[in-house]
Each structure stands twice: as C-alpha cells, then as structure tokens.
Amino acid sequence: MDPYVRTAGLDEADRALINDSLSLVRSADARAVVRDLLPRLTEREQESVAAHCDVAHAAALVFPPSLDGLIAGLRADGFTVGEAVPSVVVRERLSRRYGVPVTALEVTILHVQVPATGQGPCEIELFVLETAPGTELRAIAARERMERNESHLALEVRAPDGVVMAGLRALLADHGGLAADGGGYNSLENCTVLYFLSAAADGRDGLSATGPARSRRLELRARGHHPAVLAAHRGAEPGDPAKRLLELMTGAWTTQAIAVAARLGLADQLPGPSVRSTRGTEAAAAAGSVAELAGRLTADPAGLVRLLRYLAAVGVVTPVGDFYALTELGALLREDSRHSLRSLALLYGGPFYQSFGELAHSVRTGREAFKALFGKGHFDYFAERPGLAKLFDSAMAASAAMFEPVPGLFDFSDARVVVDVAGGNGQLLGLLLARAPHLRGVLLERAHVLEGARRHLAGAGCADRCSFVAGDFTRAVPEGGDVYLLSRVLHDWDDERCLTILRRCAESMHEKSQLLLVERLLPDTEERMPRAAPSLAVAWDLHMMCNVGGQERTTGHYQRLLATAGFELLSVRGLPLDGNLLHARRRG
C-alpha cells in the first residue's frame, strides 16, 4: 500500500496537498511530465528534454500551526525528513503576490524521502509557512490551498553545464510555451532553480495524466551555480507591468546614450572586455581617472560619470575599481572593432532618430516620415551630403557579420560571373570573390557609391576581378551573370517597385542563372515566435516604414513576389543577426 500522511493537527486541505504530491511523484516519470506539461514540443524535442532530466520531486506549500509539529508527524508516519532550510524564491513570490513584507514570511523547505516502486528513492518538497490561528496569514493560507500556486513538479538535470542549461531553458520557454516565473541560487544546497509556469493546452491547469495534483508549475534544478542562465531566465520574467512600461518608454534615452558614447569616441578610450579582477583594476588604473578621461573627450567630468553609470546599467560598460571597462556589447562601439557598430549608433541616434520622432505621420498616412521631415527620401538626402552618405555606407557595412556564412551556404562552383545589384561598398561580393578565385564580379550601384566600393574591393584584393557599373536597377541590370545578388535591397521598396527590380533581374538572366536574396524575415502568423526574443525584422519593419518607405516581409510574401516576377523559391537558410539567405531561380 502506498504510504500517506496521517499527521494530526494538519488542516485537511494541507493533508490532501501532501498526499496528492506523494501519489504524483510515485507514478510520474520524466517522459510523462514532459509530455503533459509541454504538449507544444515535438515528440523529438520531448525526448530530448527527458533524456537530460530525471523527476526530482513534487512540491506543495502548506500552512501548519507548527513546523516542529509537522516534522514530528511526518516522521511518526514513517517518512525520512531532511534538515529544514530557508526558502528564498517562494518567500519572494508570496511577498509580491500579496504585498506582504518579505520579513513577515518565514518560509522553510522540507525534503521528505518517499520509497518509490520501480524508479528508486524519490522525494516530495514541502514549503512550510507556519500559520498560527487568528494571524493575518490565514487569508493567504486559504487562497493558496485553493489555488495551489506553489505546487509543482521538479526535473533534475543529470549533467548540467552552461550549454545544456541554456538549451533546456530556451526549449522550455521558446518552443514549450512555458513562462519564466522566478528562480534563484540556493547556496545551502548549491543548486540553481528555474521556475516555469504552464497553461495546459486544453485550458485546464497542469498535468492531465500523471496524477491528481494538477500543478501548473515546473521546476528545473541543476547542481551548482549557473549565473548566466539564471540571469537570462530572470530577464524573461514578466515583472511589474508599470516598471516594464517605463523601461520601454525610456528606450529613446538608451539610443541617445549609446549615440553620444559613439560620438565622443568613448569606447576607444576604455579597457576592453577581456580584463578581469586584479588585471582589470590595473588596466583601469593605467587608463587614468574619469576626470582625465573627461579631459581627453572634452566632456564635463560629472556629466561623463552619469553617462557611464547609465551605460553600465544597460550593459555597455562595467565598473572596474574606480574606473570602467567595456563589456562585449560596448566593445562593438570601438572604431577598430572587427564588426564595429559605431556608425550604426551615430545613424540611429542622428537623422533616423529625428525622423522616428515623426512615426505618427507614417502610422497615419502609410508614408515615410523621413521625407515629410527632410523634404526628400533618405537616399537622395544622403547623396547630397557627403558626410551623411559616408556614414550611411559605413553603417550598412557594419552588418557584414550577416554575410559571412553566405559563401558556404551556396555552391558557386558552376558559376563564373556574380552580379551584385545595389551592392553598396561590395562587402558581400568581396567575400564571395575571396572564397572563390574563379569568380568574376559585377557591381551595380549609384555613381557616388562606386568610389568607396572600388577602395573596399581593392583592399580585399578583388578589384581586378570586378567590373563597376553605375546605373539604376529599376531601368536595367547587367546581363550575363550566373548568380544575381540582391542583398538587403527589396526591403527598401514597396511591392510594386520590388516586382520591377525582380523583373529587371529576370530579363538579364540566362536560363540557368540563380538569384540570391539576403533579407530579414517577419515571422509567419502560424510560426511560434519566442516571447523573449522576437525577430529583429519586427522592429526593422517599423523602421523601414518610417525612414525608407519599404517593409520587411514573411517568407510567404517573398515567395509570392518571386512567383509573380517569374521565379521559384527553392530554399531559405538562416544567417546571423536574424538574416536569411533566399535562393530562387527562374521558372522554366
């Protein structure tokens, strides 16, 4: 017969919670838990989660009048009870839920060993909040017993490391549909805990098949301290709605703080992200004081301190002693960074920042705010201002990381000529020519852009294999190419202009020519978009409407455009920075 709790002096609801947990943990296994809590995962994904985890325990929150009395009663019923340890996570969650000070909630954890059949020893975990008759905690106890907010099942990660933990967390949240719901590191147990909240697919709370305790909460446990995964998990929590909305509303302040740092050249004056502990302090000391830094940057020392403090809060710099060092994020603002984003910071904090202030015009009219503000579209406006034109071309080259996998994702062995339509400074074309010495390139661009493209490709050692053609791709595209590139071009235009560009390409292609597009893709409506990490295309779609008059599109939208222009979409491959490589060919 299964053991159960008879402990005298317990509220009947508490006794039922404990016995439900006992019944559940004796019958559940990892596959059943994963299947019932994560119906959105594919069968293969469910197997992968189960392969890394074991059922650790079932848990419940109970409210006995005495902790010592509960422990004595459990032992009298034949259970082995471990040492009582304080709870941090549940106490904080109860405090937020009911507005009660944390100091008024002394929550204790008891681990109760359960002899299980067929799967070895297992346990239940009891969160215990002593609740004497007549205290204000009685109302909390009544509600918690009814709602069972803290009842959960726990999975123990067998061999936790950073990669496994990050992968499991992402799979449970992004694909499994679980919401981050707290977590922490218990130094007494040397254990990292991630809590998730589930809503069952059929609308009922929790598990449907593994037992009577219908838990909506899943706990992922891992031995050791995993701060990076814990930080990512906490960052995905919903938190205080008002605070979160304030954070969103002040996003423009972050844009300007980063732009000012870029304009000052701040990142070029700070130690890099590789410094650590003593070495970091030494590097900071070698860089001087903030006052000395302010002198080099011709900035007000007090104002610079306040800027650095804010940049530290958003993760661009980090305090080291009395100075600051760059984080990996901040290092990308350096002028000499391999994929420096300094030019983008200046562009987004400059003319595009001004035009984005007129977003309401775009939303009301569907027309670009940049033209309404500056009197003409940004391509023409920048072309008349060499400084802005240079900044724009540099900013576009800043996303070169998106291009790096392209040479390995398409077979260029049968191609001889690659035509890069509106290829900017030739960043992508240069990569292809460097990887495939048998290729020749043709770069079609506006006349004022070609000079920079010649310099870039000469520096890459490829200019002698490239022809530079000044022209308008809406009128004609060079003929004779085996592969045609349209890299981040179509998103600048409406559908009608896109069809014109695609048709000009089709007219110039021979029957075996191939077409490659590089674009960000909006999630299709049927796709599951992770709540914590939507595609960059969602934000860039708004940017394109406001500043360019174009739009980002879904895969299906591009497929329809290509088909109308006489192409067949063959494949879509992912690229860095949420980019995609679309491969198409002419039909027939």
Side-chain angles (χ1 to χ4, degrees):
M1 180 180 295
D2 291 347
Y4 61 95
V5 172
R6 308 176 181 83
T7 304
L10 271 181
D11 185 279
E12 187 61 36
D14 284 345
R15 188 180 294 109
L17 275 166
I18 296 174
N19 285 325
D20 280 352
S21 297
L22 286 169
S23 177
L24 178 59
V25 78
R26 285 174 54 84
S27 60
D29 61 30
R31 285 177 174 80
V33 171
V34 171
R35 182 180 64 248
D36 290 338
L37 265 179
L38 303 166
R40 296 188 188 182
L41 293 185
T42 65
E43 185 175 344
R44 183 175 180 180
E45 289 171 334
Q46 291 174 353
E47 288 293 327
S48 179
V49 174
H52 285 90
C53 302
D54 294 312
V55 173
H57 62 255
L61 171 62
V62 294
F63 302 85
S66 164
L67 172 63
D68 291 337
L70 174 63
I71 294 174
L74 290 170
R75 287 174 175 164
D77 287 334
F79 295 98
T80 301
V81 182
E83 181 181 358
V85 296
S87 168
V88 176
V89 175
V90 172
R91 181 179 64 173
E92 290 178 350
R93 200 153 50 217
L94 286 172
S95 174
R96 291 195 301 269
R97 192 177 297 144
Y98 297 103
V100 177
V102 170
T103 53
L105 300 168
E106 293 298 329
V107 182
T108 303
I109 304 175
L110 294 180
H111 293 108
V112 182
Q113 298 299 314
V114 181
T117 304
Q119 62 181 35
C122 55
E123 68 178 29
I124 61 171
E125 183 176 80
L126 297 182
F127 302 111
V128 182
L129 178 57
E130 286 187 341
T131 307
T135 68
E136 61 181 11
L137 296 179
R138 297 296 293 176
I140 294 176
R143 179 172 166 183
E144 287 295 319
R145 285 164 175 157
M146 178 179 65
E147 296 181 357
R148 299 189 173 192
N149 291 309
E150 299 303 329
S151 293
H152 70 255
L153 272 166
L155 297 177
E156 181 86 29
V157 182
R158 292 195 188 109
D161 60 28
V163 174
V164 169
M165 288 295 294
L168 286 172
R169 195 204 72 81
L171 197 58
L172 294 177
D174 297 346
H175 287 190
L178 300 185
D181 193 48
Y185 171 67
N186 190 321
S187 59
L188 296 175
E189 297 182 1
N190 186 28
C191 180
T192 297
V193 178
L194 308 181
Y195 281 109
F196 299 86
L197 195 62
S198 166
D202 62 2
R204 295 176 298 157
D205 286 346
L207 301 179
S208 59
T210 54
R214 297 195 180 279
S215 168
R216 297 178 61 233
R217 195 180 304 284
L218 175 68
E219 175 186 332
L220 193 67
R221 298 173 57 84
R223 299 296 298 172
H225 192 193
H226 303 275
V229 175
L230 188 57
H233 189 69
R234 285 173 166 168
E237 291 183 61
D240 179 0
K243 180 181 177 182
R244 178 57 181 151
L245 187 58
L246 283 173
E247 291 170 346
L248 293 173
M249 288 191 293
T250 57
W253 303 353
T254 305
T255 303
Q256 278 304 313
I258 293 172
V260 168
R263 199 170 297 123
L264 291 172
L266 176 63
D268 297 301
Q269 301 293 326
L270 294 179
S274 60
V275 296
R276 292 289 186 271
S277 60
T278 303
R279 289 179 55 212
T281 304
E282 292 171 353
S289 67
V290 173
E292 291 171 328
L293 176 62
R296 294 196 297 273
L297 300 177
T298 62
D300 174 66
L304 183 59
V305 166
R306 294 162 84 168
L307 175 64
L308 286 164
R309 185 188 302 134
Y310 183 86
L311 292 173
V314 297
V316 175
V317 302
T318 186
V320 179
D322 295 328
F323 203 61
Y324 289 85
L326 297 170
T327 63
E328 291 184 3
L329 288 179
L332 292 171
L333 292 175
R334 279 184 165 171
E335 189 73 55
D336 61 356
S337 176
R338 181 166 175 262
H339 292 305
S340 174
L341 298 181
R342 181 174 181 270
S343 296
L344 272 177
L346 294 172
L347 185 64
Y348 291 158
F352 284 163
Y353 184 86
Q354 293 175 262
S355 57
F356 222 100
E358 303 298 323
L359 176 63
H361 170 82
S362 294
V363 173
R364 290 192 180 106
T365 67
R367 294 189 292 272
E368 59 197 281
F370 192 100
K371 183 179 290 186
L373 183 64
F374 293 105
K376 56 185 63 179
H378 91 272
F379 287 116
D380 294 333
Y381 184 82
F382 288 176
E384 295 172 357
R385 293 161 176 79
L388 283 179
K390 183 178 179 181
L391 176 63
F392 179 77
D393 291 339
S394 177
M396 294 305 97
S399 299
M402 185 185 295
F403 300 150
E404 291 185 346
V406 173
L409 294 177
F410 182 80
D411 183 4
F412 291 91
S413 59
D414 292 334
R416 292 297 176 265
V417 178
V418 175
V419 179
D420 194 354
V421 180
N425 72 344
Q427 191 86 32
L428 176 55
L429 184 59
L431 284 174
L432 299 180
L433 296 180
R435 285 281 294 271
H438 69 282
L439 288 176
R440 288 188 61 256
V442 179
L443 181 65
L444 174 69
E445 254 298 356
R446 293 157 293 162
H448 74 277
V449 178
L450 289 179
E451 182 181 348
R454 285 191 179 93
R455 287 197 302 268
H456 175 78
L457 289 169
C462 304
D464 60 335
R465 290 189 283 130
C466 192
S467 301
F468 300 89
V469 180
D472 178 356
F473 52 45
T474 65
R475 296 179 180 275
V477 169
E479 297 181 350
D482 302 300
V483 177
Y484 283 74
L485 304 177
L486 286 170
S487 173
R488 297 182 302 172
V489 172
L490 297 183
H491 75 160
D492 288 335
W493 308 100
D494 59 24
D495 284 358
E496 183 179 352
R497 188 63 64 90
C498 285
L499 287 173
T500 298
I501 297 168
L502 290 170
R503 284 168 176 151
R504 294 297 172 266
C505 289
E507 291 166 1
S508 300
M509 297 169 71
H510 58 71
E511 62 180 11
K512 293 185 179 180
S513 294
Q514 308 290 304
L515 176 66
L516 297 179
L517 310 179
V518 175
E519 296 287 357
R520 289 190 173 102
L521 296 175
L522 286 171
D524 287 313
T525 54
E526 64 272 14
E527 290 180 357
R528 296 171 298 193
M529 180 168 53
R531 289 183 300 275
S535 168
L536 289 175
V538 174
W540 258 255
D541 185 46
L542 202 62
H543 164 67
M544 302 311 292
M545 176 180 70
C546 185
N547 290 310
V548 183
Q551 66 181 111
E552 305 293 354
R553 297 171 171 89
T554 64
T555 303
H557 196 156
Y558 277 116
Q559 190 169 26
R560 290 189 294 274
L561 285 175
L562 288 165
T564 303
F567 290 93
E568 176 187 7
L569 179 62
L570 300 178
S571 67
V572 179
R573 306 288 293 277
L575 297 173
L577 301 177
D578 284 350
N580 294 272
L581 180 67
L582 290 77
H583 172 208
R585 67 183 175 195
R586 287 182 59 187
R587 284 202 305 267

